[in-house]
Amino acid sequence: MMISNEISASSDSAQWQSIDWKAIEQHVLKLQMRIAKATREGKHGKAKALQWLLTHSRAAKLLAVKRVSRNKGSKTPGIDGITWNTDARRMTAVKQLSRKAYQAKPLRRIYIPKKNGKLRPLGIPCMTDRAQQALHLLALEPISETFADPNSYGFRPNRSTADAIAQCFICLSHKKSAQWVLEGDIKACFDTIGHQWLIDNIQLDKRMMKQWLGCGFMDKGLFYKTDEGTPQGGIISPTLMLLTLAGLEQQIKSLGQKKGYRVNFIGYADDFVITGTSKEVLVNEIKPLIASFLAERGLTLSEEKTQVTHINDGFDFLGFNIRKYKSKLLIKPSKSNVLLFLSNMRVLIKKHTTVSVNDLIKMMNPKLQGWANYYRHCVAKQTFNYISSQLFQTLWRWAVRRHSTKGKRWVANKYFLNRKGQWQFHGWQKITNMDCQFNLVQIAQTPIKRHVKVRSAAIPYDPDFADYLAQRKQAKVSRNTWLELISTAF
């Protein structure tokens, strides 16, 4: 029996490794394009039939299992403790992924810290539940992309925070642009969405959706029911939230056109900003409209975070500070995010006083590169220089503390290189029996370049935008390759 199981596992592993993923993705994309086309033409019955066909296809099941077994959370199990960490297990999961007799298990509740010191509850589904959600997400995404607001940028393919910030620049940078901004935030958005509204309005398999919404969660050994909201750890939850808020931009703009107001909407997940010509318009007209729209869905605005601000005073959005200085709009990294990043980096350095230089650089480089990439499209050169200076001082203290009996010149020669007046922290690593320098990323050397925003109407399931999105994808790949070369050069 043991030999039989080993042969079966070996066979499943070989099957998984022999899959032509490009052909699989093309097959699923064709079905998704047909779903989107039927939705645009108002043929909802046909779209529903195509959704059923997609969720029962082997190709879609393969993609769903691949996604949940290789993403960042794939090593975190649900309440059953199971992970799909081998090719054989992944292939077995595909064969067992069926709607028949499926029953969702309760979520495993964990808590992660927020910036304000509070804890954010996170529900971790089992691997099978994640795969089922990923499978049905393939069928739901063509519909969500068709109905989503044009200027909503969160949790959507081919869109990012850089696009949302670029849209803010477009709406606020001109002399005749609106001067007032409503900063909106929905209170506990994921946790309070009405289940009945989702079931009545989302075009998805009702039986499956009811199970995910009402599966409950386990917290410290106790079971709790879920009467509202969607689990923040669920793969399909962001898309359900996106569809819940779909139509808000259209209602706001319709009111503006009807009454002659100039308003613009920029959204990212449950955060959004609305520009207006006066404070009164935003407070007395737009805000009640938003509150009414959200109330139908079981949601409310957060009174603490929702406020109206003049552009000359500036506001923070998605980690950026957006403000006009003498009629010139500048978008910079927000002060709170800069201080938080520096604090985290200092803690990281001080926590690892005895590790090797190479290990410390390996821990710091991804964080530095990621932070620099996030802000490299805004007015960040001065901020990058400041961070580089602060980190140099912290690393200098780290190096001196390690060699209290050595002189400062000796320490400088051991850990730092002088490159045209710029001191660079470095180590050494062996490559093919040769000692090579291993350098810390120089965040101050990150090139600043304005981001080219994606067209608001561009969606991946409309053939009219296929070439345009393919060109953007190729340009992104080329740009990332170039940035990697730049970062390794310093």
Side-chain angles (χ1 to χ4, degrees), residues 29 32-33 36 40 141-142 145-146 150 153 156-160 163 451-479:
L29 180 60
Q32 290 178 312
M33 298 280 275
R40 287 194 301 271
E141 197 168 68
E145 282 296 292
T146 303
Y153 298 94
R156 297 181 62 184
N158 304 308
R159 299 187 180 217
S160 64
D163 293 304
H451 176 73
V452 180
K453 191 185 81 70
V454 69
R455 295 178 191 170
S456 298
I459 61 173
Y461 307 111
D462 189 337
D464 293 342
F465 295 104
D467 291 340
Y468 167 72
L469 292 175
Q471 291 172 5
R472 282 184 65 87
K473 184 177 181 180
Q474 183 58 44
K476 182 179 180 181
V477 170
S478 301
R479 184 169 60 248

Side-chain angles (χ1 to χ4, degrees), residues 341 344-371 391 395 398 402 425 427 429 438-441:
F341 177 71
N344 291 339
M345 294 302 291
R346 286 170 180 145
V347 169
L348 174 68
I349 294 169
K350 291 176 182 178
K351 186 178 178 181
H352 297 90
T353 55
T354 59
V355 301
S356 68
V357 178
N358 284 4
D359 288 341
L360 181 63
I361 291 176
K362 286 177 183 177
M363 287 185 280
M364 293 179 66
N365 272 356
K367 298 179 184 297
L368 287 166
Q369 193 66 63
W371 205 84
L391 288 180
L395 288 168
W398 177 88
R402 285 165 68 98
F425 190 70
Q429 61 179 350
F438 187 52
N439 299 328
L440 184 73
V441 166

Side-chain angles (χ1 to χ4, degrees), residues 165 168 172 183 309 311-325 329-338 374-375 378-379:
I165 296 302
C168 288
L172 293 165
E183 306 168 59
T309 310
I311 191 60
N312 290 342
D313 297 325
F315 64 97
D316 289 349
F317 183 52
L318 304 177
F320 295 82
N321 179 261
I322 304 171
R323 180 181 174 186
K324 270 191 176 179
Y325 299 82
L329 185 76
L330 296 182
I331 301 177
K332 305 178 181 179
S334 68
K335 185 177 180 180
S336 59
N337 273 27
V338 172
Y374 187 78
Y375 287 109
C378 70
V379 185

